[in-house]
Amino acid sequence: MKGIPLPDNSVGCVRAYDFLEHISHCRDSACTHGAEGRSSLCTVGMVNEIYRVLAPGGWLVSRTPSTDGRGAFQDPTHVSFWNLNSFWYYTKQQQAGYLRGVECRFQGTRLWQAFPSDWHEKHNILYVYADLVALKGQRQPGICEI
């Protein structure tokens, strides 16, 4: 995927359920995150792209199998791996500074882990939930760490 075919600041909410784990991590430290338009977007490029299309104050609502359970690794189609700390690179200034190419700024309004159902709990398939707000210069209630 080379981008989301929508204009900047045009979307109020992006729902990414069982999605991010299917986007590849960066290939190496020289990764351009797909910014040059020739290669597919990596996880950083995809989160930047979601941010681009979100309106100021728009929401990224994500549900992703967590590495703290079996679900992240059991599916052979998963190519990136997430837990609560993974979202720090998009919501906390200190961690974002370690990752070249992060252009997005999100406020983590709610970050938690849970089993979506009894079946998931029985099979230790824990999910990380991330409700993030796009910070684009607007005043936003709550704690901003980026």
Side-chain angles (χ1 to χ4, degrees):
M1 177 177 217
K2 295 195 171 43
I4 299 172
L6 295 169
D8 295 359
N9 306 312
S10 64
V11 176
C13 181
V14 171
R15 179 182 175 268
Y17 276 27
D18 292 296
F19 172 71
L20 293 174
E21 69 274 17
H22 296 281
I23 306 299
S24 295
H25 273 306
C26 297
R27 295 171 303 283
D28 56 36
S29 62
C31 182
T32 65
H33 313 303
E36 82 291 342
R38 292 184 307 276
S39 61
S40 295
L41 296 177
C42 63
T43 53
V44 173
M46 180 56 70
V47 176
N48 282 340
E49 185 68 0
I50 290 169
Y51 177 80
R52 180 191 66 77
V53 301
L54 283 172
W59 286 73
L60 167 57
V61 180
S62 171
R63 184 180 84 178
T64 308
S66 173
T67 58
D68 294 333
R70 292 182 186 144
F73 305 109
Q74 75 182 31
D75 185 331
T77 66
H78 293 178
V79 292
S80 65
F81 305 98
W82 298 77
N83 57 49
L84 286 172
N85 299 3
S86 303
F87 290 93
W88 289 355
Y89 297 88
Y90 310 103
T91 62
K92 295 179 184 279
Q93 187 174 15
Q94 183 177 359
Q95 281 73 29
Y98 290 111
L99 191 56
R100 186 185 54 75
V102 174
E103 298 170 0
C104 58
R105 293 182 65 238
F106 283 101
Q107 179 180 5
T109 59
R110 286 185 47 179
L111 290 163
W112 75 101
Q113 294 192 127
F115 296 105
S117 71
D118 291 340
W119 182 89
H120 289 86
E121 186 170 15
K122 177 182 175 184
H123 298 286
N124 192 25
I125 302 173
L126 187 66
Y127 274 74
V128 57
Y129 293 79
D131 294 350
L132 311 179
V133 174
L135 299 173
K136 295 186 172 188
Q138 83 279 11
R139 292 180 63 108
Q140 191 67 34
I143 298 170
C144 177
E145 298 180 88
I146 193 163

